[in-house]
Amino acid sequence: MSDRSAPTWPAECGEEPGWWQRVRSAFEDNETTLDLFNCQIGRIGGRALVERGLPNLRQLTTLNLGAEYSFSASGYNSIGPGGATALATQGLFHLAQLTSLDLGFNSIGPEGATALATHGLPHVTQLTSLNLWSNSIGPEGARALATQGLPH
């Protein structure tokens, strides 16, 4: 019998979104991939994922929080700099087996990229694929990733 319990959506965040079922399924089925591509996670959902979901999903090798470009923002996950910072400081250290991380189109900016570089990516030393496409990380974020964030 396992002493782990399934991740629960925080009641203070309102109604549970449909994508949270994927988080529970990844836990229950011990899946190594969590695909939340274009799920409209947002900042609140990003924080819930980091605080309630990822600590229970240590088996993950692939985490897809990416999105695709569209003229409406309805498909974006948009975790923003705060979500990227939470992922870096509270989430990635749970995912030591992670080999692929997709954060494309999440509006993380230089602040989120720097947080990932300094606090998150050093914990995922198995990482071989990182997608930060279209996040407006700028020279500051790129410099942080190049000098301190990418595992070798």
Side-chain angles (χ1 to χ4, degrees):
M1 177 177 245
S2 174
D3 59 350
R4 302 181 329 149
S5 58
T8 57
W9 179 256
E12 64 274 12
C13 292
E15 185 176 335
E16 180 181 296
W19 60 263
W20 191 258
Q21 176 57 44
R22 294 184 191 181
V23 174
R24 277 199 311 273
S25 291
F27 170 82
E28 292 164 358
D29 299 335
N30 205 33
E31 296 172 5
T32 58
T33 296
L34 179 58
D35 187 356
L36 297 175
F37 183 82
N38 263 9
C39 284
Q40 301 176 4
I41 293 171
R43 287 162 177 78
I44 292 171
R47 185 159 292 286
L49 178 64
V50 165
E51 293 174 358
R52 299 278 186 104
L54 297 183
N56 296 294
L57 299 173
R58 295 176 185 269
Q59 78 279 3
L60 289 183
T61 58
T62 300
L63 177 59
N64 185 353
L65 301 178
E68 64 186 352
Y69 177 79
S70 82
F71 289 105
S72 78
S74 64
Y76 289 10
N77 279 329
S78 296
I79 64 170
T85 298
L87 180 64
T89 59
Q90 300 172 42
L92 289 180
F93 73 89
H94 294 291
L95 307 178
Q97 298 180 62
L98 200 67
T99 59
S100 178
L101 176 61
D102 186 341
L103 295 174
F105 288 96
N106 267 287
S107 307
I108 68 169
E111 177 187 330
T114 300
L116 284 170
T118 57
H119 301 292
L121 296 179
H123 294 288
V124 287
T125 58
Q126 304 301 311
L127 197 69
T128 58
S129 175
L130 175 64
N131 179 3
L132 296 175
W133 178 260
S134 196
N135 271 295
S136 301
I137 64 171
E140 177 188 340
R143 193 169 17 264
L145 288 163
T147 59
Q148 55 195 350
L150 299 175
H152 303 294

